[in-house]
Amino acid sequence: MLYGFQVVLTFQNILFVFIGVLAGTLIGMLPGLGPISAIAIMIPLSYGMDPASALILMAGVYYGAVFGGSTSSILLNAPGISGTVATSFDGYPLAKQGKAGKALAIAAICSFAGGTISVVALMLVAPIMADFAVSFGPTEYFALMLLGLTAIASLSEGSTTKALISATFGLIIATIGIDQQTGTQRFTFGNPNLLEGIDFLIIALGLFALAEVCSLILTRKKKMFEGDQSVGSLKITRSEAKEISGPIARHSVLGFILGVLPGAGATIASFMSYLSEKKISKDPSSFGKGNIKGLAAPETSNNAATSGAFVPLLTLGIPGSGTTAVLLGALLVVGVQPGPLMLTDHPDVFWGVIASMYLGNVFLLILNLPLIPFIAKILYIPKALLISLVIVFCMIGVYGVSFSTFDLYLLLGFGVLGYLMRMFSFPAAPLILAFILGGMMEQSFRQALTISNGNYGVFSESPVTVSLLVISLFSLTFPILKGKLSKKGNLNNNNDLSA
């Protein structure tokens, strides 16, 4: 680590860290503009650069975007990046209650804590976690994804049936496109625009941002924010600090572990953390209505997962997400082959990047906390102008990814769908989670059966798989049993009262 700090504590590399996290924060704040496109643009700029400096710059953009992505989620209900969708569940209700300043401050502190704790973990256990990640095969991944799906009932505000219907629709959408295993077209209806499936960004921005816009346009008498429209105090009380300390400790570890697993990443980590925090809460009904634990959990986890994603990238050369896949390409461009030999062949890149994350997280906190009162001024923008800006940013974000007008029509379609789901009380979160997990779960399931020649007994061979499947079964049946027991208890109470 001392060698890593020697690498990063030069004027040039400190400047690269600052530029990276600043650019990442600004990109993360804009709905639809993720770190992938920003890093891709920077790859040509890295030609001729020192490999350590190039990766320090691009890594800063990556975790800076995740750090800054919470802003639009909290203020506009328009997730800046996919990893901050879960942040909007409680962040946006807090902003509507006049606590936007507090929500942004909690998000900044939790992001800093999650990022810093995971960097310490990255330094200490990178080789061990790399071995653990390699031990996860198709059966383990299938069981992990199934566990995420069985927790869908926790994302429902009311009817569990409606949550499961939303999730089923999400799984259906996940099957659209070319089957990766056989090359068969599925549910494209002969439309070439659907061959690659539907991008996550279209669904997230449609169901959250454009659905909010539809709601505001169709209910013109309502204000942009119900209740207090003020920014509110940034101060976090001692009791609130104590309340969020538990989620920070728990989900820094969970986020880092999920970040290490190739394919999981910040999005799944944030959803898993939100679900688990809601499960263990004494008052789960307050989640989705402005619970600070519901904000702290995903914000801690997504930043922790971002650092965790560097473990398989640097030690195995396996990208854990789309962004780290682009970073892998950037490393190859500057002449660095990530893998087990990287620690000995390129220690300046390996330890320099890890040391830069310490510095980058400090820069992010210093940048974000003082700017919160100015960032939160977005609440005072006139409603008509704000609606126009949200629509424009959403369309630019979607069009900038594919340059397809068909995707803009899909965006509008999902916006209308999101509004109808709100109208009939169907939760959008299960649809999003099922869409994310569905493709990976199907792929892992089919890989496991291919390896075992169609023998379903392969799912009982690994202790990790069996443990995850048992937890999934418990997760699915517990809400049903709990509901029946509570009804039976109420019935007994009523009989006692009548007696």
Side-chain angles (χ1 to χ4, degrees):
M1 277 308 295
L2 288 173
Y3 177 60
F5 280 112
Q6 269 187 313
V7 172
V8 80
L9 291 178
T10 63
F11 176 76
Q12 175 181 307
N13 285 338
I14 290 172
L15 185 63
F16 280 139
V17 173
F18 181 77
I19 292 170
V21 297
L22 178 62
T25 304
L26 295 174
I27 288 163
M29 287 179 184
L30 299 173
L33 301 181
I36 293 178
S37 52
I39 292 170
I41 290 166
M42 287 185 177
I43 288 176
L45 302 178
S46 66
Y47 291 135
M49 280 178 65
D50 176 65
S53 300
L55 193 61
I56 283 168
L57 173 66
M58 286 183 267
V61 172
Y62 180 27
Y63 56 84
V66 176
F67 199 108
S70 58
T71 302
S72 55
S73 290
I74 291 169
L75 298 181
L76 302 173
N77 199 28
I81 61 170
S82 59
T84 60
V85 170
T87 302
S88 64
F89 296 164
D90 282 279
Y92 186 62
L94 279 168
K96 289 166 77 174
Q97 294 166 19
K99 298 176 183 176
K102 189 185 290 289
L104 289 169
I106 289 171
I109 290 165
C110 291
S111 298
F112 172 76
T116 305
I117 292 169
S118 65
V119 171
V120 174
L122 177 62
M123 174 187 73
L124 296 175
V125 297
I128 301 166
M129 293 302 289
D131 292 337
F132 173 69
V134 172
S135 71
F136 255 61
T139 59
E140 287 86 358
Y141 272 112
F142 169 76
L144 181 66
M145 300 302 142
L146 185 65
L147 176 60
L149 278 179
T150 55
I152 273 174
S154 299
L155 288 174
S156 59
E157 293 299 323
S159 170
T160 304
T161 306
K162 287 184 176 180
L164 292 173
I165 291 170
S166 291
T168 304
F169 193 64
L171 289 171
I172 291 168
I173 297 169
T175 61
I176 294 172
I178 294 177
D179 183 352
Q180 297 297 320
Q181 202 154 337
T182 63
T184 308
Q185 292 184 29
R186 301 191 297 184
F187 308 113
T188 59
F189 304 102
N191 191 325
N193 292 296
L194 291 173
L195 290 176
E196 293 182 10
I198 298 174
D199 194 85
F200 172 84
L201 191 64
I202 297 169
I203 300 171
L205 290 178
L207 292 182
F208 289 94
L210 283 197
E212 185 69 27
V213 166
C214 288
S215 178
L216 291 169
I217 292 171
L218 296 171
T219 54
R220 294 183 181 180
K221 292 181 181 179
K222 289 188 178 180
K223 292 184 178 180
M224 180 71 194
F225 288 83
E226 296 169 6
D228 191 354
Q229 195 177 337
S230 63
V231 173
S233 171
L234 273 66
K235 189 177 179 182
I236 298 171
T237 64
R238 186 174 293 180
S239 63
E240 288 170 336
K242 189 178 178 182
E243 198 175 343
I244 64 172
S245 60
I248 287 173
R250 285 189 290 273
H251 301 299
S252 294
V253 177
L254 178 63
F256 177 73
I257 292 170
L258 289 172
V260 168
L261 299 176
T267 307
I268 291 173
S270 62
F271 272 106
M272 289 288 196
S273 291
Y274 186 84
L275 288 168
S276 61
E277 194 61 39
K278 187 175 179 181
K279 285 274 187 188
I280 63 174
S281 174
K282 293 178 181 177
D283 184 21
S285 61
S286 64
F287 279 68
K289 298 172 185 175
N291 189 315
I292 60 170
K293 285 185 178 180
L295 172 61
E299 268 305 289
T300 304
S301 188
N302 60 21
N303 283 271
T306 304
S307 300
F310 280 86
V311 173
L313 174 69
L314 298 177
T315 59
L316 302 171
I318 300 171
S321 63
T323 310
T324 48
V326 177
L327 281 170
L328 174 62
L331 278 168
L332 296 173
V333 164
V334 294
V336 175
Q337 177 64 56
L341 297 176
M342 191 170 177
L343 275 163
T344 51
D345 292 350
H346 300 283
D348 56 330
V349 178
F350 185 88
W351 293 110
V353 168
I354 293 175
S356 75
M357 290 180 185
Y358 281 103
L359 191 62
N361 278 300
V362 173
F363 277 155
L364 283 166
L365 193 66
I366 293 169
L367 273 171
N368 280 267
L369 278 179
L371 291 175
I372 284 173
F374 302 101
I375 294 168
K377 294 290 183 187
I378 198 168
L379 299 182
Y380 297 107
I381 296 175
K383 179 179 151 184
L385 180 59
L386 192 56
I387 286 172
S388 305
L389 286 172
V390 170
I391 293 171
V392 167
F393 279 130
C394 287
M395 289 193 164
I396 289 173
V398 168
Y399 189 76
V401 171
S402 62
F403 300 102
S404 167
T405 52
F406 180 78
D407 284 354
L408 296 180
Y409 290 118
L410 279 178
L411 175 68
L412 292 173
F414 277 103
V416 174
L417 175 66
Y419 176 71
L420 292 173
M421 288 176 73
R422 286 183 179 204
M423 187 185 293
F424 296 104
S425 302
F426 281 86
L431 190 155
I432 290 281
L433 183 60
F435 174 78
I436 295 167
L437 298 179
M440 289 188 286
M441 191 173 81
E442 181 197 11
Q443 187 179 357
S444 299
F445 181 74
R446 292 171 72 179
Q447 282 175 348
L449 290 180
T450 302
I451 292 166
S452 65
N453 292 320
N455 179 14
Y456 287 90
V458 71
F459 293 101
S460 62
E461 292 175 3
S462 165
V464 176
T465 305
V466 173
S467 301
L468 289 170
L469 289 173
V470 169
I471 296 168
S472 301
L473 182 64
F474 177 76
S475 177
L476 188 65
T477 55
F478 179 72
I480 300 167
L481 292 172
K482 188 180 177 184
K484 286 185 177 179
L485 288 171
S486 62
K487 282 181 181 178
K488 188 177 179 182
N490 291 333
L491 186 65
N492 290 336
N493 289 335
N494 290 335
N495 289 337
D496 290 341
L497 288 170
S498 61

